[in-house]
Amino acid sequence: MKAITNVSGVDGTGQTLSNTTILIKDGKFTSIGASSIPEGYEIIDASGTYFTPGLIDVHTHLGVHEEGIGKEGHDFNETSAAATPQVRAIDGINPLDRGFEDARRSGVTTVQVMPGSANVIGGEMCVLKTTGTIVDEMVIRNPSGLKAATGENPKRFHGDKGRMPTTRMGIAAILREKLIEAQTYKEDRKAGKAARNLGLEHIVKVLNKEIPLRVHAHRADDIVTVLRLKKEFDIDLTIEHCTEGHQIAPFIAKQAIRVSVGPTMTPRSKIELADKGWNTLLALAEESVAFSITTDHPVIAIEHLMTSAILAVKHGLPEEEALKAITLNAAKHLGVEDRVGSVEIGKDADFVLWTGNPFDLRNKAVQTYINGELV
C-alpha cells in the first residue's frame, strides 16, 4: 500500500493534478485526491517531479526482434509461407531483451508485441507490461489482434522467391481467400465436419470480432484496400503505420477505426515512405480520427516514444493530444483502457515521475512504477 503525495502533473484524461495525494492498494489506484492517508501506507513524496500515467506503445517487436544479437534474435517473421496465422508472438518473446529495460527507463509501461510484416498474415499478437521474467505473467491481453500486411514487404519476401504474392492484387486475394476459408471452417466446425486447424481458428476470432485484424498499411491505396475488406467481411480492424493517412483523412474518418502512426522519425527508406511526415497526425486530428503514436521498436528505439510525441508537438499537434496518443488513446487502440492509459480509480497503478514536463526533451524519467511497484 502506497500514498503518493504532492503529485503535480496530468492524469491522462485531460485533467491536471496539483499537490494531489494518490492512494494505491493491491497494484491499483484506489483514491485520487485523498484528504488523509490511512495507517500503514508507505509514503512517497513526489515533490519536485512531474507525474504522468505510464506510456504505451501500441506497435512494437520487443522481445521477438532482440537487440544486440543479430540473426539469432530475429524471431518476428515466420517467412516459410505467405500466410502464417497459426503463429503467436507470445511464443517468441524473450522478456530479457534489453529493450524492455530501455522501455522502463523511459517511462513505457505497456506495449503491444506483434509479428513482423513479411507475411500477408503474420500471426497473433499480445499486450504486456514491460517488467517481468515470465511472459505469461506480463501479459494483460492475449491475443490482442491478428497481424496482416499489405504493400512492399510481402511482395519482396515472397514474390522474390517466385511465389504469391507478387502484386498488391495478390496480397488482397490471399487475405480474401483466408477469410473465406475461415468462414467455411467456422460453419464446418459448428456442424462437426472439420478437424481443428490452428491458423483458421485464429482467423475465426477475427470473424467473430473477438480480436481485430491489425493491418500494416503505409500507402493510401493500401489503406483503402484494407477498408474495402473490412466492409466485405464485416470485421474490426486497425490501420498500422497509416503513413499516407493525411492524403485520405476524411475518408478514414468515415470508417470508425483506430490507427497507429509511425515510426515517423525514420528516414524515407522505401517508396512507401516517400510522403512521410508529422502532418499525418495533424490531418487525422483535424478529422477526429482516433490515433496513437508508435516507434515500431526496434525500427525506432522504444526510448524515443516520448521523443516522437515531442516532435509531433513541435510540428503543431496539441500537447494534450500527443500525450493521449501514447496513453489513453493508445490503451483504447489495444482494447485495454479498463486497465491502463490514465490515472483513475480501479486502474493499474502504472505511472512515471519525471524531472519536469516530459514534453521538454531535457527532462527524463526519474522513477517508473508498474502495478504500484518501482521498476
Side-chain angles (χ1 to χ4, degrees), residues 48-268:
T49 66
Y50 192 95
F51 179 100
T52 72
L55 308 184
I56 301 171
D57 195 330
V58 300
H59 184 123
T60 80
H61 307 288
L62 274 166
V64 293
H65 189 168
E66 298 178 60
E67 295 185 82
I69 294 178
K71 184 179 179 180
E72 290 78 8
H74 294 180
D75 284 316
F76 58 105
N77 278 319
E78 177 55 57
T79 57
S80 54
T84 57
Q86 67 271 33
V87 305
R88 308 186 309 166
I90 193 173
D91 296 323
I93 296 171
N94 179 4
L96 301 182
D97 175 13
R98 180 69 179 271
F100 284 107
E101 180 182 349
D102 292 339
R104 296 189 296 270
R105 290 185 180 277
S106 54
V108 181
T109 56
T110 299
V111 294
Q112 182 169 235
V113 177
M114 59 178 67
S117 54
N119 297 343
V120 178
I121 302 179
E124 287 189 341
M125 56 196 70
C126 61
V127 178
L128 63 158
K129 298 294 183 73
T130 57
T131 188
T133 57
I134 306 298
V135 172
D136 303 69
E137 297 173 355
M138 299 162 66
V139 165
I140 62 174
R141 186 182 182 194
N142 180 49
S144 56
L146 183 66
K147 178 68 179 289
T150 62
E152 298 304 318
N153 285 4
K155 287 171 57 181
R156 174 167 53 88
F157 275 93
H158 301 285
D160 287 356
K161 296 177 182 178
R163 64 185 183 221
M164 192 173 178
T166 62
T167 63
R168 281 178 161 77
M169 295 183 295
I171 291 169
I174 290 174
L175 274 169
R176 281 193 181 90
E177 285 181 339
K178 285 298 180 182
L179 286 163
I180 291 169
E181 191 177 347
Q183 286 176 328
T184 302
Y185 172 79
K186 176 182 175 181
E187 295 303 316
D188 287 347
R189 283 289 289 174
K190 187 176 181 179
K193 297 190 295 184
R196 287 191 64 184
N197 180 300
L198 183 59
L200 294 179
E201 283 184 10
H202 289 179
I203 300 174
V204 167
K205 294 176 189 176
V206 173
L207 295 174
N208 289 343
K209 298 188 176 182
E210 298 170 37
I211 57 174
L213 190 67
R214 301 193 187 273
V215 190
H216 163 115
H218 286 286
R219 274 182 21 180
D221 56 334
D222 289 330
I223 295 169
V224 173
T225 294
V226 171
L227 295 174
R228 187 179 308 119
L229 290 166
K230 177 185 187 300
K231 184 177 180 180
E232 287 179 27
F233 291 92
D234 186 26
I235 57 176
D236 293 334
L237 58 80
T238 64
I239 301 296
E240 304 295 320
H241 303 306
C242 202
T243 303
E244 292 183 355
H246 56 281
Q247 297 181 7
I248 55 170
F251 178 75
I252 295 173
K254 296 176 183 178
Q255 313 303 317
I257 61 166
R258 293 185 176 275
V259 306
S260 74
V261 180
T264 315
M265 286 177 61
T266 60
R268 295 177 179 86

Side-chain angles (χ1 to χ4, degrees), residues 337-372:
E337 67 272 22
D338 61 325
R339 293 277 305 271
V340 297
S342 58
V343 181
E344 299 180 77
I345 293 173
K347 287 193 175 185
D348 296 357
D350 297 353
F351 62 95
V352 189
L353 301 179
W354 307 80
T355 55
N357 187 330
F359 281 97
D360 183 335
L361 191 55
R362 293 170 296 183
N363 289 321
K364 63 180 180 179
V366 178
Q367 294 182 339
T368 301
Y369 289 79
I370 295 178
N371 300 324

